[in-house]
Amino acid sequence: MNRCALEAFLGGLVRLFTTVAGLRCFLNLSRGQQPQGDGLPEPTMTGLLTVGFVPTMGALHAGHLSLIQRARRENKLVVVSIFVNPLQFAPTEDLDRYPRMLERDRALCESAGVDVLFAPTVAEMGVIPPTPTRVQPPKSMISGLCGAFRPGHFEGVATIVTKLLNLVQPDRAYFGQKDAQQVAMIQQVVRDLNVPVEIVPCPIVRESTGLAMSSRNQYLSAEEKIQAATIYQSLSKAEQLFRSGERLSDTLVQAVKFELAKVPVLQPEYIELVDTKTLEPLETVTDEGLLALAVRLGNTRLIDNCVLRDRKPIIAIDGPAGAGKSTVARRVATELELFYLDTGAMYRALTWFVLQSGVDLNDEPSVAELASQCEIDFQTNTGAPLV
Ligand code: AMP
């Protein structure tokens, strides 16, 4: 198949699949019939086309679209799933009234340049009784925050996300930082189960009022939306305190509580400051911490969070060879008083290491084994270790 034929095959129109068979067949054809060496962007290790995946429950909004746009930029093929996952809802929750609008979502996907929309039924996903095999994330990551109030929720998310990752087998999967506990948990599950995918966390998209976009915002009246804006304001207050030097979790959490209390209809379920990766509670924030909350407003449950970070930023600069990456990076580092890390030197160090080992350079698996065992230490020009 030449490039034009491939593009015609991929469409321009989003392909909707509701069955595993249809999805798998399309993905197999796309991967198998990918022409080689014709300048298509970024082949994977196996020379196949890159697939970006955005799992959702539908009722798409600008938050979802930001994930889709990023997937579109970074991959040849973009797959979006819409599945309102019954396993992640408790019997008392809003599974039945959760907004479902497939035709509208399909049109949105089409205009965002999505290639494949996978919208299976509950039966197709095999989650009807008897209870299917479940993925059990580490208890320490799901017993706090939302997990304390939604028993079974994260097992349900982990199970369906794992199934979807197995079905789509994407190179990258995109998740919103809005569900920070979910992202951290999925990253752990993927590590623990050796799922060959890169999890890409994406920033929270907000309304102009600061309210984090959510499909559940549709439940809110105009007045409630205004009231809900206080959630972000309360997080921002804690952020200000943090920037002015406050590091005690209790004080930062109290600042959020105090702001929320100004709008009594906002009933906090939890406000917690935890480690961004392990999600263990923090007493003080040293490097960074995740300040997360859930609030009830009438019958609606809203979540939001912010990352409090007390370290210098990491700025990555990429571009074609000879574009001046190192020159720019060195200047930026000097101006902003950051360490300049020459990643090119890391490749050279690795090359040296592999050459020293004497393995056949065409034996890629052996090179991969060596690379995974290679430790590289960086030192500053003064000889001090880079911390
Ligand atoms: P959902 O449809 O609610 O399951 O969300 C699907 C994906 O979109 C998840 O990875 C969410 O974290 C992400 N998402 C939802 N709302 C936002 C938002 N306001 N900003 C960024 N990502 C979001």
Side-chain angles (χ1 to χ4, degrees):
M1 199 186 272
N2 62 28
R3 189 192 178 96
C4 289
L6 175 79
E7 265 157 22
F9 174 69
L10 295 180
L13 293 182
V14 63
R15 295 286 304 260
L16 171 68
F17 296 106
T18 56
T19 66
V20 168
L23 175 76
R24 281 215 156 125
C25 180
F26 181 89
L27 290 173
N28 285 343
L29 282 171
S30 305
R31 288 188 166 111
Q33 297 185 6
Q34 157 86 355
Q36 301 287 307
D38 70 347
L40 287 170
E42 211 183 343
T44 62
M45 290 282 283
T46 50
L48 304 175
L49 84 172
T50 51
V51 176
F53 176 46
V54 182
T56 81
M57 296 208 298
L60 302 181
H61 51 69
H64 297 113
L65 291 177
S66 71
L67 273 52
I68 293 172
Q69 283 152 4
R70 174 129 184 226
R72 183 66 288 165
R73 281 199 302 277
E74 296 179 353
N75 303 277
K76 181 66 188 166
L77 193 94
V78 175
V79 181
V80 171
S81 66
I82 294 183
F83 181 63
V84 183
N85 169 21
L87 295 185
Q88 69 186 69
F89 288 80
T92 50
E93 292 182 344
D94 57 341
L95 174 63
D96 291 336
R97 72 171 180 138
Y98 198 85
R100 290 163 172 88
M101 40 188 74
L102 185 59
E103 271 319 304
R104 172 191 163 277
D105 287 348
R106 181 185 182 158
L108 281 173
C109 283
E110 195 143 299
S111 38
V114 171
D115 298 298
V116 176
L117 179 55
F118 180 51
T121 59
V122 169
E124 187 68 13
M125 284 301 281
V127 291
I128 44 174
T131 312
T133 302
R134 300 254 185 162
V135 174
Q136 175 66 63
K139 282 266 181 324
S140 60
M141 297 194 81
I142 60 168
S143 51
L145 307 170
C146 289
F149 296 87
R150 304 188 71 186
H153 170 76
F154 286 109
E155 287 92 336
V157 173
T159 301
I160 288 302
V161 170
T162 305
K163 278 171 77 81
L164 289 168
L165 292 175
N166 283 336
L167 287 171
V168 177
Q169 300 188 5
D171 297 85
R172 304 183 184 96
Y174 297 80
F175 290 85
Q177 188 61 27
K178 155 125 187 311
D179 298 271
Q181 187 173 17
Q182 173 172 281
V183 186
M185 180 274 290
I186 292 292
Q187 282 176 316
Q188 190 63 45
V189 166
V190 158
R191 267 196 299 274
D192 289 347
L193 300 183
N194 300 105
V195 183
V197 65
E198 181 192 345
I199 301 299
V200 184
C202 302
I204 302 175
V205 176
R206 299 177 178 282
E207 308 277 359
S208 55
T209 58
L211 174 63
M213 292 204 176
S214 163
S215 304
R216 289 190 169 96
N217 290 356
Q218 294 187 21
Y219 301 152
L220 302 176
S221 67
E223 190 193 357
E224 284 176 324
K225 277 190 182 160
I226 295 166
Q227 293 165 333
T230 303
I231 297 170
Y232 177 61
Q233 287 154 18
S234 71
L235 289 170
S236 302
K237 271 277 160 14
E239 239 177 337
Q240 278 166 24
L241 260 183
F242 181 76
R243 264 190 255 117
S244 62
E246 182 57 63
R247 293 292 176 269
L248 275 181
S249 290
D250 272 353
T251 313
L252 293 160
V253 165
Q254 280 308 323
V256 177
K257 251 190 206 148
F258 183 78
E259 282 305 304
L260 287 176
K262 292 180 182 169
V263 183
V265 284
L266 295 173
Q267 289 293 312
E269 205 168 61
Y270 70 81
I271 307 164
E272 286 188 50
L273 224 164
V274 298
D275 182 277
T276 47
K277 291 196 178 67
T278 64
L279 305 179
E280 308 268 6
L282 292 176
E283 277 181 22
T284 53
V285 188
T286 42
D287 256 11
E288 63 174 29
L290 171 72
L291 180 55
L293 54 75
V295 164
R296 288 202 171 271
L297 174 52
N299 288 327
T300 309
R301 184 176 182 278
L302 300 167
I303 59 171
D304 202 346
N305 69 78
C306 66
V307 174
L308 304 176
R309 193 167 278 134
D310 182 26
R311 63 158 169 73
K312 294 192 166 178
I314 297 170
I315 302 174
I317 298 181
D318 200 2
K325 297 186 291 284
S326 305
T327 314
V328 173
R330 240 183 257 116
R331 281 218 205 141
V332 169
T334 310
E335 280 297 315
L336 300 181
E337 297 183 354
L338 302 174
F339 286 113
Y340 162 60
L341 183 63
D342 179 4
T343 47
M346 295 168 76
Y347 285 103
R348 287 189 283 281
L350 183 60
T351 308
W352 178 84
F353 182 64
V354 173
L355 286 171
Q356 290 294 305
S357 75
V359 300
D360 174 0
L361 295 186
N362 293 316
D363 180 358
E364 286 186 30
S366 295
V367 173
E369 281 216 320
L370 277 176
S372 72
Q373 291 162 355
C374 174
E375 276 183 29
I376 301 176
D377 288 327
F378 274 83
Q379 303 226 319
T380 60
N381 288 344
T382 59
L386 195 61
V387 285

